[in-house]
Amino acid sequence: MHHPGPPRFTATGRTLELAPTDPDPEATYRWRVETAPLTSRASVDDDPVEFIVPDVPGTYVVELDAPDGTHRQTIRAFPGDLAPAGGAGGVSGASGFASGSTRPTGESGGVGGSGSGAGSGGSGGGRPRIQLHGAVEGDEVVVRADPQPNPNSDRPRGSLDVEFLVDDRDDLGGRDVTIDGWELRVPVSKLPKLARVHAVAVGESYSVPDSVAVERGEITSSGRVDAEGHSSADADANVSVVRLNEPPEWSTEATLYEIYVRGFASDDEESDNTFEALTKRLDYLDELGVDCLWLTPVLQNDDAPHGYNITDFFSIAEDLGTRDDYEAFVDAAHDRGMKVLFDLVLNHSARQHPFFEDAYRNPESEYYDWYEWQESGEPGTYFDWEKIANFDFTNLEVRRHLLDAADTWAEIADGFRCDMAWAVSRPFWTELRERLKARDPEFLLLDETIPYVADFHDLAFDMHFDTTLYFTLRQVGRGVEPAEAILDAVEQRTEVGFPDHASFMLYLENHDETRYVVECGDAEAYAAGAALFTLPGVPMLYGGQELGQRGRRDALAWGHANEELRDHYESLIEARNETDALRYDGEFSRVDYESESDRVVAFAREDGQRYVVALNFGAEPAPVEFGPSVENRDVVSGEALEADERGLYVDHVAVLPVGE
C-alpha cells in the first residue's frame, strides 16, 4: 500500500515531508490539501515527494492519489509557540561531534555540541512526555494516556491536555471513537482488524507522540500490553493492544560489542576470509559475556578500510569474503546466543559508486537526480567529506533502491545500526520501521544521531546513541567537569522530552573516536567503563576497549592485552546480568553522599532491591559517606570495602546493597 503513513503532529511554520510508501518509480502520484483551517494558505506541488508548511493552527488532511487508490493523512498543527526547540521534524542538519572525535563539530537540530535537538518550547518549561496503555474493559477497548510534565516545568500534571489521532489507514470511523480527556474508548464490536491510536501531551510544548495498535482476530506473536504495560489479551473478544514504540525485549538486556571488521581479527593469517577469522573470535566474545555484535559495514566500498563509502548496496565486500561467508558468521553467532547488527548506511554512496560516476557533471545521466548537487556542480555532503555524495530522498528511485537494500540484509541481521540517521528523511525511517516490524517485531533499529533527538523515538528507532552521556564521560575523564555531571546527563534524557520507554546505548568510544584511555587516562577508563554497566541504558564496548587498546582503528594488539582491565569488564558484565536493579527496568535516582573528591559520584538503582553505586574517576581510592545505610560488600568485586571514620573507600566502582 502506498499510504503515506501515520498521522502527524507538528507546529505552524514547520516543514513536513510527504511521501508515498513502497514507492513505484514508474507510477504517478499526486498530492493535494483536502481540508485545512479556514484561513490557511498551505499548499503542495506536483512531485511524488512533497513538503507542506502548516500556517494556521488546526487540523489538515492531505490526500495522495496513488496507483492503489486515494489515501488520506491527517496533520495536527499546534501554534508555533508550542514548537519544541530544535529540529524535531525531519532531517536535523549537520551532526555535532564531541571531544575525542576525528570528525569536525557541526550542529544538529539547531543545537551544537552534545545537546538535544528537542528542548523546551512555549514558556520555557520544556516538553512534556506521554505513554499510552490499552486494555479490553467489558465491551470496550480503552486507551489511556499517562502524560507527565517536564521536570523543569511548574505546570501540574492535571493541567496537561492530550490530543488523540486515529490512524487514517485503519477502517475505524470517527463516530465509533469516544474521547474524554486522557481516555479514548472504542466498542469492541466496532473494531476493525487493526486500529492504531496516536497521541501527544500538550503543555508548554507538545510531547513526542506515543502509539498503540489494537489488533482483532488472530492473536499475533508481536506482544500485547494491558493498562499496566504487561502482556494481556481478552480471550473472548480476541483483542490485543500492542505498544508500538517499545524496544525489543532482548535488546534491553543485551551487552553490545562493536567489531571493526578489518582490524578485529587481522592477525589471523590462516583463515580463508575475514568472516572465518571473525568466527574464530566468537568463543572469546562469548566468554567475555557480550551477546550482540555490531559489525562496521560489510558491503562493497571504495577501499576505505572503514567501509562507509559504499559502491554496491547489494554485495558483500570482496576483501571480506562472500555472502555465504557472512551468513555462516551470523549463523555461528546465533549458535552462541548472540544477535548481529548490520551497519546500514543510507544517507550517501561513495563517489566511486557507478551511479555517481555516471551522474557526475552529467545532467543527462539517468542517475543525476539521485543525488543532491551544489551550485558548484559538486555533490551535497557534510563536513566537506570528499569521498561521499548525499542521496536525494525526494527521488522515488533512491527510496526504492534503499528499501530494497534494507530488505535484502534484514533477512540475515537481527537489527540495523543506522549510520548518520539524523541526515536521512524522517518519514523514510518510519516507513522502514513499519516495513521491518511487520515481518519481525523483534528487529532492532539503533540510531546514530549526534546530538540525540527525542522525536526519533516516534515510530522510527528503538534505541539511541546516548551522545550526551558519551560527551559528559569524556569531560569528566579529562577533569573538565565534576563526576556528578554524569547524573545531569542521564536526567537530560527526560528534560529534552524522551519518553520513559526510550532505550539508550551507552558507550565510551567507537571507530570514530579517540580511545578513552588515551584521552582521559587509565584510572578514568576503569570508572567510565563501570558507568556503562551501572547507569540506566544498554552498554556497548568497542572492540579492544576491554584490552586497553590505544589505536582507534589499528589491528587489535591481542598479545599486549591489559588482563586486569579485561577482568574488570567481565566482572561488570556479570554484575549487570545478575543484578536486576542495574538492568533496563531498574529505577535510577540521586542519593545523598559526601566525598572529599569531586572525582566521585554516587546514585541509586532499584528493582525490588535497592543499591547505591559509587564511581571514582580519581587515581587513588577515595572515602565516601552515603546517606542510605549500605552494606560494605561490593557486588562487582565480591569483596568488602575498607572503611574508617571518613567513610567507605571506593577504588573505581562499588555497587552496595542498601540495608534494611
Side-chain angles (χ1 to χ4, degrees):
M1 185 168 70
H2 297 301
H3 194 289
R8 312 281 289 277
F9 297 92
T10 190
T12 56
R14 294 221 160 173
T15 302
L16 290 183
E17 178 186 290
L18 307 173
T21 59
D22 198 20
D24 176 359
E26 302 300 321
T28 297
Y29 299 91
R30 295 189 184 279
W31 289 95
R32 62 179 169 274
V33 179
E34 196 271 334
T35 61
L38 184 61
T39 59
S40 172
R41 296 187 177 183
S43 63
V44 291
D45 290 329
D46 296 329
D47 293 323
V49 178
E50 273 300 336
F51 298 88
I52 185 171
V53 182
D55 54 351
V56 176
T59 299
Y60 298 71
V61 176
V62 292
E63 288 191 340
L64 171 68
D65 291 331
D68 60 341
T70 298
H71 306 289
R72 294 160 60 92
Q73 185 177 39
T74 299
I75 299 168
R76 174 67 170 96
F78 298 104
D81 61 0
L82 296 186
V91 176
S92 55
S95 172
F97 291 89
S99 168
S101 173
T102 61
R103 295 183 280 188
T105 299
E107 293 187 350
S108 177
V111 191
S114 72
S116 169
S120 55
S123 61
R127 298 189 80 174
R129 293 164 293 129
I130 194 171
Q131 193 172 70
L132 298 183
H133 306 281
V136 178
E137 297 182 3
D139 60 356
E140 290 184 312
V141 170
V142 182
V143 178
R144 290 188 175 89
D146 179 15
Q148 297 290 337
N150 190 279
N152 295 325
S153 173
D154 294 330
R155 179 186 290 265
R157 178 171 178 267
S159 70
L160 294 175
D161 294 323
V162 172
E163 292 265 356
F164 289 97
L165 287 178
V166 175
D167 205 296
D168 304 280
R169 295 169 291 181
D170 305 329
D171 188 18
L172 181 62
R175 295 180 180 179
D176 300 326
V177 175
T178 301
I179 297 174
D180 183 9
W182 297 352
E183 289 186 357
L184 178 147
R185 292 176 176 267
V186 183
V188 170
S189 61
K190 299 294 186 179
L191 282 174
K193 185 175 181 180
L194 174 65
R196 286 160 285 194
V197 176
H198 313 267
V200 295
V202 185
E204 290 97 340
S205 180
Y206 58 90
S207 70
V208 174
D210 198 22
S211 306
V212 298
V214 182
E215 300 177 352
R216 182 178 186 181
E218 181 181 354
I219 296 179
T220 71
S221 60
S222 59
R224 51 197 64 85
V225 297
D226 63 13
E228 300 301 322
H230 304 116
S231 294
S232 172
D234 183 279
D236 295 329
N238 208 14
V239 173
S240 62
V241 184
V242 181
R243 298 277 310 285
L244 295 179
N245 284 315
E246 292 291 313
E249 185 176 356
W250 68 263
S251 70
T252 63
E253 304 302 335
T255 297
L256 276 64
Y257 191 96
E258 181 192 0
I259 293 176
Y260 186 70
V261 294
R262 292 176 176 82
F264 189 74
S266 58
D267 61 326
D268 184 340
E269 299 179 354
E270 298 180 359
S271 295
D272 292 335
N273 59 74
T274 297
F275 295 116
E276 180 181 331
L278 293 177
T279 300
K280 293 179 181 179
R281 298 289 189 189
L282 289 177
D283 287 340
Y284 163 81
L285 295 171
D286 193 22
E287 292 172 3
L288 180 63
V290 302
D291 47 19
C292 182
L293 308 178
W294 153 28
L295 274 64
T296 52
V298 298
L299 297 182
Q300 195 69 266
N301 58 79
D302 64 357
D303 297 326
H306 53 70
Y308 284 92
N309 307 339
I310 293 172
T311 59
D312 185 342
F313 285 84
F314 295 88
S315 298
I316 295 293
E318 294 176 357
D319 67 311
L320 299 180
T322 66
R323 174 167 174 153
D324 287 343
D325 297 327
Y326 173 63
E327 291 192 27
F329 167 80
V330 175
D331 288 342
H334 287 169
D335 289 343
R336 292 164 175 80
M338 298 177 180
K339 305 286 189 180
V340 178
L341 302 185
F342 185 95
D343 205 326
L344 189 68
V345 183
L346 298 185
N347 167 253
H348 58 266
S349 78
R351 298 196 190 194
Q352 290 184 21
H353 193 293
F355 294 176
F356 179 80
E357 290 182 327
D358 188 76
Y360 185 56
R361 298 194 182 280
N362 178 21
E364 301 303 316
S365 167
E366 64 178 304
Y367 301 111
Y368 188 81
D369 291 338
W370 281 51
Y371 292 93
E372 297 176 358
W373 298 100
Q374 303 178 55
E375 291 184 2
S376 65
E378 292 300 309
T381 185
Y382 292 99
F383 314 127
D384 296 323
W385 285 337
E386 297 178 349
K387 296 185 177 181
I388 64 171
N390 289 351
F391 284 124
D392 184 346
F393 277 82
T394 67
N395 186 309
L396 292 188
E397 291 180 310
V398 169
R399 298 172 93 103
R400 178 78 269 159
H401 187 78
L402 297 178
L403 286 170
D404 291 345
D407 287 345
T408 297
W409 302 113
E411 294 177 0
I412 305 170
D414 301 292
F416 288 147
R417 176 269 183 187
C418 299
D419 184 62
M420 294 175 66
W422 48 271
V424 174
S425 156
R426 268 287 311 285
F428 184 88
W429 286 129
T430 296
E431 175 182 4
L432 183 62
R433 177 189 180 86
E434 293 193 343
R435 188 182 187 88
L436 297 173
K437 296 286 188 177
R439 303 170 194 170
D440 179 9
E442 295 300 300
F443 197 87
L444 176 68
L445 288 167
L446 165 65
D447 68 359
E448 181 204 31
T449 305
I450 306 174
Y452 54 34
V453 178
D455 282 87
F456 274 40
H457 201 76
D458 169 30
L459 299 177
F461 294 96
D462 302 303
M463 186 183 296
H464 315 276
F465 274 48
D466 194 334
T467 53
T468 295
L469 182 62
Y470 161 82
F471 178 75
T472 303
L473 286 169
R474 292 269 173 162
Q475 295 288 81
V476 171
R478 290 164 46 222
V480 176
E481 295 282 352
E484 194 163 287
I486 293 169
L487 308 184
D488 298 331
V490 172
E491 291 172 348
Q492 189 189 14
R493 303 170 185 172
T494 301
E495 292 169 0
V496 302
F498 276 102
D500 293 340
H501 48 273
S503 178
F504 294 87
M505 187 194 78
L506 315 185
Y507 67 108
L508 293 181
E509 53 194 48
N510 59 39
H511 62 277
D512 284 321
E513 316 298 346
T514 305
R515 294 283 186 173
Y516 190 92
V517 69
V518 171
E519 183 175 344
C520 301
D522 292 340
E524 292 81 355
Y526 278 84
L532 301 184
F533 290 86
T534 56
L535 289 168
V538 178
M540 190 278 283
L541 303 180
Y542 176 43
Q545 178 178 329
E546 79 283 7
L547 305 176
Q549 178 85 5
R550 302 182 71 82
R552 181 168 56 94
R553 297 179 183 174
D554 300 350
L556 291 198
W558 293 98
H560 300 279
N562 181 336
E563 297 295 342
E564 181 182 331
L565 183 59
R566 183 185 181 281
D567 291 344
H568 177 63
Y569 275 108
E570 277 196 31
S571 297
L572 290 168
I573 293 171
E574 183 178 359
R576 179 176 182 268
N577 289 341
E578 295 183 356
T579 309
D580 290 344
L582 299 181
R583 302 170 79 175
Y584 177 74
D585 289 329
E587 295 182 6
F588 166 85
S589 61
R590 294 183 182 242
V591 296
D592 292 331
Y593 70 95
E594 290 187 5
S595 176
E596 300 169 354
S597 172
D598 69 356
R599 308 290 283 160
V600 173
V601 63
F603 52 91
R605 301 297 308 278
E606 184 172 0
D607 188 354
Q609 170 69 53
R610 192 172 190 230
Y611 295 82
V612 169
V613 179
L615 303 173
N616 176 16
F617 288 80
E620 300 294 333
V624 188
E625 291 185 297
F626 301 102
S629 175
V630 298
E631 301 176 17
N632 77 335
R633 185 167 297 276
D634 172 29
V635 168
V636 178
S637 67
E639 299 178 355
L641 304 186
E642 294 185 9
D644 60 21
E645 68 280 358
R646 299 159 68 194
L648 297 176
Y649 280 75
V650 175
D651 191 355
H652 305 300
V653 58
V655 178
L656 307 171
V658 175
E660 296 295 332

